[in-house]
Amino acid sequence: MSFTPKTQHYSGKINAVTLGTGDKAIVLGGQSVLPFYTFDGEIENAPKIGVEISDAASEWAVPGLTAFYAGCTTMADYAKRAETIPGADFLCLHFESADPNGANRSVEDCVADAKAVAEAVSMPIVIMGCKNMEKDGQLFSKISEALQGRNILVLSAKSEDYKTVGASVALAYGQKVGAETADDINLAKQLNIMLKGLTVPAGSICMNVGTAAVGYGYEYVASTLDRVRAAALAQSDADLQMPIVSPVSTDTWTVKESTASAEDEPAWGDMEERGIDMEVATAAANLTGGADAVILRHPASIATVKKFITELV
């Protein structure tokens, strides 16, 4: 007797959100099955990989990154080089140097960099700020205005500033907005409801429900991802059906396993290899939990995660 596997069908479906324009545009979400459950149904859009490009990238003390970006001096140079990485689907511009408690780069300089990148590349663009709410509010608004028509995603709107970010990014300039919360399904749902209450269309919202390097409280991330995706599909919860974007690189390249030198921790092996391992392991965990896109930094990590996605979809 032949075996007929029983499939699980869900009434819910993840929203399909388009980023970018033209031939390089990508679609996040759109599936109605659990992550990589191809035996239950077709996965309409495979998860995507973004490349982090920081305005402080020249300070990255990783030999492989230094070699790959050799000769790059401007953010546009880095972006053009990153666009050549096999497996990359979009670019994430990280303006960490805008932080008033750090280099305090001006909004005008950051906007100029964003415009230069947009003119130099054709891939979709995602914007990350410096984590200073006041500065990010100005930055997000000005970049959204300058890149109007490029259909970018801006990370992130939080409960404290969702009105300002949502209004300036999505309503005024027609860009996509990321809703950022910290490992709590109720907070994630509430923020999506508030953004929709602001009249931001559901199809213009993505979520960053929180991430962390594996081993650093990652069980909270895993449980949140699982619960969000289960609610979206099994319960058809329209307030949790937004695609999930996980900025992995900013967490994994700052932990001790990725920054301690081989001299300080000789038993741990090569520092760069450890960083790549942390990035790959965290990205794989996020993707199997339900992330529709991950943001990575190292070309070796991107190649490995791309292979991981291709073999599972």
Side-chain angles (χ1 to χ4, degrees), residues 5 10 18 23 81 98 100 124 139 142 144 156 161 176 188 211 214 216 235 240 276-277 309:
Y10 294 104
T18 301
D23 295 340
R81 189 70 55 81
L139 188 63
K142 294 297 184 181
S144 294
S156 298
D161 65 354
K176 303 300 192 298
T211 189
V214 288
Y216 285 81
Q235 300 172 24
L240 289 169
I276 294 169
D277 289 346
I309 293 170

Side-chain angles (χ1 to χ4, degrees), residues 59-75:
E59 300 173 10
W60 289 345
V62 178
L65 289 173
T66 301
F68 180 78
Y69 289 109
C72 296
T73 57
T74 67
M75 216 168 182

Side-chain angles (χ1 to χ4, degrees), residues 7-32:
T7 58
Q8 175 71 56
H9 297 284
Y10 294 104
S11 56
K13 186 174 184 178
I14 306 304
N15 300 337
V17 176
T18 301
L19 302 183
T21 59
D23 295 340
K24 293 291 184 69
I26 60 173
V27 180
L28 305 182
Q31 60 271 17
S32 55

Side-chain angles (χ1 to χ4, degrees), residues 84-171:
T84 68
I85 299 176
D89 298 298
F90 64 92
L91 305 174
C92 177
L93 309 187
H94 185 190
F95 291 99
E96 57 183 319
S97 293
D99 187 355
N101 296 314
N104 197 24
R105 289 187 71 217
S106 70
V107 170
E108 292 73 22
D109 285 346
C110 294
V111 171
D113 274 346
K115 289 175 66 175
V117 169
E119 292 168 1
V121 303
S122 55
M123 275 187 173
I125 293 172
V126 172
I127 301 295
M128 288 177 62
C130 63
K131 305 279 186 198
N132 179 280
M133 203 167 300
E134 182 178 352
K135 189 69 169 286
D136 281 349
Q138 302 170 36
L139 188 63
F140 293 160
S141 177
K142 294 297 184 181
I143 290 180
S144 294
E145 180 182 13
L147 271 57
Q148 195 168 7
R150 284 301 298 262
N151 197 23
I152 66 172
L153 169 65
V154 174
L155 298 176
S156 298
K158 301 176 183 178
S159 60
E160 298 90 344
D161 65 354
Y162 77 95
K163 290 182 179 179
T164 303
V165 175
S168 63
V169 170
L171 300 182

Side-chain angles (χ1 to χ4, degrees), residues 188-208:
K189 179 173 180 174
Q190 181 183 25
L191 183 53
N192 290 337
I193 291 172
M194 291 191 296
L195 282 168
K196 291 199 295 182
L198 200 63
T199 71
V200 176
S204 293
I205 303 172
C206 292
M207 292 188 289
N208 170 13

Side-chain angles (χ1 to χ4, degrees), residues 51 64-65 68-69 85-86 276 279 296-304:
V51 187
L65 289 173
F68 180 78
Y69 289 109
I85 299 176
I276 294 169
E279 192 166 40
L296 308 177
R297 183 179 297 179
H298 202 290
S301 304
I302 294 166
T304 303

